[in-house]
Every structure is written in C-alpha cells, then in structure tokens.
Amino acid sequence: MSIPFGIGLGISLLKCSDDFEKTNKYWRIIYFGFLTPSIVYFIKLLATKFAVVLGYQTPAYLILSPDHMSDIWGVSRAAYVFFCLPAYFVAISQLSKVLTQHCWEFKKNILYWIALVLVPAIMFIENDRTGVLYCALGILFELFLFLKNSKFNAKGAKRLLISLALVTALILFVASSLQRNPLWSTLIADAKLAVQVDKYDYWKHLESTANVPPLLNELGVPIAESNFDRIAWGIRGGQLIPQHPLGYGLMTLSFGRLNAIDFPGSRTNMSHSAWLDFTLGYGIPGFLLLFGAACLVLKNAKNTPLPWQTLIYWTLGFMTLLFFTKELSSEIFMNAFIFLLTMFSSLSLKIKPTN
C-alpha cells in the first residue's frame, strides 16, 4: 500500500515543480508533515503533565506512554528517533543556507527553528542515546558549514559568533546527556566483554543463566545490559547471515528465531540493527534489493528539482544510516521507508513537456 501512494505523491509534486508558488506551498505542507510527530509529542506531554493538575481527565490517546508493547497508544523511543529526526536534519540544511546568505526572515523559516528546538528536546527528555548522538552530529555539521564559509569581515564575525553559540549548545547538550545517562561511562568497558560472544553467553538470556551472578567489567561494576546486548547481538547477527543467506522468511524476531536454532531456550528477539534484522529475515538478496534501491534513489537525486532534492538527501540519507544503528525492525518503519523510496524515486523522473 505504501508504493502506489508514494508514486502518486511524487509524480504530483514533480509535475508542479515548474510553478514556484505551488512548489513553495507544497514544500511547507510536506515539511510540516515531517514536523508533526514532534508537535504531537509535546501536545501529549502537556496533556499528560498538566491535565491532572487542572482537574481534567486525559483521554488514553493523549497520554504519553512509552509502553508500546502492552499499551495500544504507547510509542517507543525508537519511533521518536525515526520519525522526528528527519525534520531536524532538513532544518539544519535549510538554516545553513539561510544564515550563510544572511537572509534571516525569521517568519519565513519559523518551521525550521521550531524543529531545531523541539527535536533535540524530545531526544533529551526521552534520554535516547542514539537520538542525542545524531542531534550532536547535526550541530557539528552546522558548525562545519559556518567555519567553511567564514571570512575575515563583518559578516565573518557574525558567523564566528554563531559558531561559538553552536559550540556552547553542543557542549551543554552532550554534557547533560552524559550526566543523565550513566550507560555512556561504561560503554567501552562493556564493549570489551561483549565482543567475546563465544566466551560470555550472557547475551543469550538463557533460562539456565537467569540466577547467575552478574558479569563484571574491567571497572569492577556489573555490565550494563543495554551496552553489552546491543554489541554482542550485532556480532552474533553477523555470524548468522552466512549460515542463513536466504533468511528466516519474516523480519520481525528473525534474529531470535534463528538464534534459538543453535541455542535452544535463548530469549532474544531483535539484533537492534534494522538492516541486520532485515537481512536475517529476507536474506542477502532481500537486503541487496532494498538497500540497493535506497542507494539508487540517492544517486538519482541529482535529477530532482529543488527543494525536493534537499529532502531526499537529508531524510533518506539519515534513515538509511539509522537502520544500521537502531532497533527499527518493525513493519511500520519499513513501510514508511518504502513509501519515501517510491515517492523520492518518482520525484527524480523526467517528465516530458505536454506541448
């Protein structure tokens, strides 16, 4: 169902690409769509926090719940990273052009400024390490563009001030995340043990090891399961690919099902890498088809008229990269990804003149 909608929307936008006013209007609508998940998040946050104080009964669908397994309205942190960050990266790209050209026009670019504030705030509130990391990379990229275009004149001084502001924001953002999330401090120590998948089997989550004393890292503290499991599962998933080159047949829980063949009783589900789980589900041919499609769309983006070219590079490029590092192994994420693939591929078509 994603494919016909994506193709139709892409061709419709492409046919209007010669009309500046229509394209500008449609761009604002499409970008607002990418920003909507962040807006909805804060609506739910305010409804959850203040409704009780004001004496109102909050509807279930407006309660901000992270329990996506048992709560029908619950949303996982991974979903916020996937659906919110594309708007942030597009905003970074657009504001870089605006500020470099000194065409501030705050009202015209207000959606980008909103994204620049809301999205990092969500990653900070949710305390998601991957989201925080990508937000920090976005700030670094913005800083790189300013330094690249700096000149020793009055405008260059303004760029330098903005660069200093970005450095300050980056330091404060990263430092706050490191302080709030202790998992960062033991990441390297946990990784040294996690890579030894044949020696330490804590990553298998076997029933027989449920009451075994915790494994201590070189710092003398118990390993953080989040760090240990993600790294060990990634290595184990890579080992399973040559054993099952055609995959399990279903993406969801493919890692757990294939892993249980060698280790009965193992209670694992996802490898925490969408591309790895997709390969384990649909095999090497499946991975090459979907990943190859993404690479082709990015390659052909040079044929896409502006501003849609910017949208392709920053949303599809980000999502393709994110699939390597995030547990997005569910149909909703792949459906959204395929929708964008077909929409963006349609935008790179060459339409013949009607006359």
Side-chain angles (χ1 to χ4, degrees):
M1 292 300 293
S2 300
I3 293 175
F5 281 104
I7 293 175
L9 179 58
I11 292 177
S12 299
L13 294 173
L14 181 62
K15 293 187 72 173
C16 300
S17 60
D18 292 333
D19 189 323
F20 176 79
E21 290 187 4
K22 279 188 176 181
T23 297
N24 192 37
K25 180 176 68 174
Y26 296 155
W27 166 263
R28 290 197 298 270
I29 294 173
I30 295 293
Y31 183 76
F32 182 77
F34 277 94
L35 188 57
T36 299
S38 301
I39 296 173
V40 170
Y41 176 89
F42 279 98
I43 291 174
K44 295 176 73 173
L45 179 64
L46 292 173
T48 304
K49 297 293 184 182
F50 295 107
V52 177
V53 177
L54 299 174
Y56 291 101
Q57 182 66 34
T58 307
Y61 57 84
L62 279 180
I63 296 177
L64 192 64
S65 172
D67 186 10
H68 63 286
M69 300 299 290
S70 56
D71 186 351
I72 190 174
W73 302 108
V75 180
S76 67
R77 290 187 306 174
Y80 292 125
V81 174
F82 180 82
F83 287 110
C84 295
L85 274 172
Y88 171 78
F89 279 100
V90 173
I92 288 285
S93 173
Q94 295 298 95
L95 289 175
S96 297
K97 299 175 185 176
V98 169
L99 298 180
T100 301
Q101 298 169 0
H102 297 277
C103 301
W104 294 84
E105 297 182 320
F106 183 81
K107 184 178 179 181
K108 182 179 178 181
N109 299 290
I110 189 169
L111 287 180
Y112 306 137
W113 290 109
I114 291 174
L116 209 64
V117 174
L118 293 189
V119 177
I122 292 173
M123 300 303 116
F124 182 78
I125 294 170
E126 291 294 314
N127 201 17
D128 187 278
R129 288 186 295 168
T130 305
V132 167
L133 179 61
Y134 278 104
C135 283
L137 289 175
I139 298 175
L140 280 175
F141 177 76
E142 183 81 45
L143 178 62
F144 169 77
L145 291 179
F146 279 119
L147 294 177
K148 180 182 177 182
N149 296 308
S150 293
K151 295 180 180 179
F152 293 101
N153 52 28
K155 293 182 179 179
K158 290 181 180 179
R159 292 193 184 104
L160 183 59
L161 288 174
I162 295 173
S163 299
L164 291 174
L166 288 170
V167 171
T168 304
L170 178 64
I171 294 173
L172 291 175
F173 186 64
V174 173
S176 299
S177 177
L178 291 173
Q179 185 179 10
R180 294 181 68 224
N181 200 325
L183 296 178
W184 286 113
S185 61
T186 62
L187 177 61
I188 296 177
D190 294 335
K192 291 180 180 179
L193 298 179
V195 296
Q196 304 178 58
V197 292
D198 296 325
K199 183 177 181 180
Y200 303 107
D201 61 356
Y202 285 77
W203 59 268
K204 300 174 187 176
H205 290 255
L206 298 169
E207 296 178 3
S208 58
T209 60
N211 298 318
V212 173
L215 180 64
L216 301 180
N217 57 31
E218 63 182 15
L219 301 177
V221 298
I223 57 170
E225 283 193 8
S226 181
N227 290 335
F228 185 85
D229 287 346
R230 289 169 187 262
I231 298 170
W233 289 346
I235 294 173
R236 174 58 182 166
Q239 294 175 347
L240 286 170
I241 291 176
Q243 297 178 28
H244 307 276
L246 296 182
Y248 174 70
L250 294 173
M251 181 182 66
T252 305
L253 307 182
S254 58
F255 173 72
R257 302 298 173 88
L258 293 176
N259 196 44
I261 296 175
D262 294 330
F263 307 106
S266 176
R267 294 176 293 176
T268 56
N269 43 44
M270 297 183 296
S271 68
H272 281 256
S273 168
W275 281 126
L276 195 52
D277 284 325
F278 190 86
T279 307
L280 292 174
Y282 300 117
I284 296 174
F287 167 77
L288 292 177
L289 286 171
L290 189 59
F291 184 75
C295 292
L296 285 173
V297 173
L298 289 170
K299 177 179 179 294
N300 292 330
K302 62 180 183 293
N303 300 322
T304 305
L306 292 172
W308 309 117
Q309 186 180 104
T310 302
L311 192 68
I312 295 175
Y313 283 133
W314 288 102
T315 58
L316 189 60
F318 161 73
M319 290 179 177
T320 304
L321 178 62
L322 184 64
F323 275 167
F324 283 104
T325 59
K326 197 66 177 172
E327 62 276 21
L328 302 170
S329 308
S330 300
E331 287 186 16
I332 184 174
F333 303 116
M334 286 298 169
N335 286 341
F337 188 68
I338 291 171
F339 169 80
L340 291 178
L341 277 179
T342 52
M343 172 185 165
F344 292 157
S345 64
S346 300
L347 279 166
S348 64
L349 295 173
K350 294 182 179 179
I351 303 295
K352 291 183 179 181
T354 54
N355 50 351

